Amino acid sequence: MSWTDDRVETLKRMWGEGQSASAIAKELGGVTRNAVIGKVHRLGLSNRNEEPEPAPAPEPDKKAGKKPAAAPRPEPQAEAGPATPEPASEEPATQAAFTPPPRRQIVPAGQPLPPQPSANEISPEALASVREVEKKARKLTLMELTERTCKWPIGDPATEKFWFCGLPSQPGKPYCEAHVGVAFQPMSSRRDRRR
DNA sequence: CCCTGATTCGC
DNA sequence: GCGAATCAGG
């Protein structure tokens, strides 16, 4: 595989989205995450920092002037501490709106993702099983999910009381054993279950 | 152990 | 330019 234009484009896009190198490598296929990282660096990407990188060459120049040998390096002025953040102009508090530009990771690693049991009809055994398992949940956040962690959502997404199961997922499955049990039910077992 | 990016260096 | 091996960290 080689870095064709559109592959590079995908790389740039995903890297910009905060995707991990391994995720990008998987998406592209035929390359390892090392290759991706290497390319990212060669492209000069990598620095997510909008930091324009200070004086590229503060060289005072001046014709004829040979360097006096050692540059004194005046030690950068004190970094603004938590003191006096207000420059001078006062913004109406109403439209304060500071934006956290470093948007990162919109979609986790996995694929489809969350079902959520809702008010389903599931076998009592399986229900009991998940309740038990959810006590052992690793309570991972969205960003912490990987291909081998159970992506079963637990709790209310609208509250702080929300996390993902995170237990080891079944090989090739998005969920752990217990959650696979309730997520993938044979049609046969779903038939006429009255409440 | 799983994962992350960063760097090195032979190719 | 490329990327495996390695490093350094969570």
Side-chain angles (χ1 to χ4, degrees):
Chain A
M1 278 298 184
S2 60
W3 288 107
T4 60
D5 280 17
D6 52 291
R7 282 168 67 80
V8 170
E9 194 179 333
T10 300
L11 165 59
K12 287 180 177 176
R13 177 177 55 76
M14 292 184 71
W15 185 262
E17 291 171 0
Q19 299 286 317
S20 71
S22 58
I24 298 171
K26 263 188 325 181
E27 176 68 25
L28 291 172
V31 288
T32 65
R33 71 182 197 90
N34 287 304
V36 170
I37 292 172
K39 187 59 177 176
V40 162
H41 281 219
R42 266 172 260 125
L43 287 172
L45 263 41
S46 93
N47 17 339
R48 188 273 317 174
N49 270 353
E50 18 67 31
E51 206 145 333
E53 188 52 47
E59 189 54 45
D61 69 274
K62 296 292 89 100
K63 63 300 297 277
K66 266 295 170 276
K67 289 179 177 64
R73 173 174 295 220
E75 194 60 39
Q77 296 319 315
E79 206 52 56
T84 63
E86 312 299 62
S89 63
E90 193 57 60
E91 286 295 315
T94 48
Q95 66 158 72
F98 66 81
T99 307
R103 264 274 101 62
R104 194 168 176 79
Q105 187 85 11
I106 299 173
V107 175
Q111 287 175 314
L113 286 204
Q116 197 58 298
S118 71
N120 244 328
E121 306 120 68
I122 304 172
S123 67
E125 314 83 67
L127 269 180
S129 179
V130 287
R131 295 236 175 75
E132 190 55 41
V133 166
E134 292 184 359
K135 292 176 185 172
K136 300 175 184 175
R138 292 176 60 199
K139 301 187 178 181
L140 298 185
T141 67
L142 193 56
M143 289 77 76
E144 293 170 320
L145 293 177
T146 73
E147 284 184 69
R148 24 190 110 187
T149 58
C150 179
K151 301 167 190 63
W152 194 268
I154 299 173
D156 186 345
T159 71
E160 294 300 299
K161 192 179 173 187
F162 178 71
W163 52 79
F164 292 90
C165 174
L167 292 174
S169 61
Q170 292 294 86
K173 297 281 195 347
Y175 310 119
C176 66
E177 184 171 22
H179 286 134
V180 162
V182 296
F184 304 114
Q185 296 180 61
M187 294 307 285
S188 56
S189 69
R190 297 181 59 109
R191 293 182 49 234
D192 68 341
R193 177 176 289 121
R194 75 207 83 115
R195 55 177 38 85

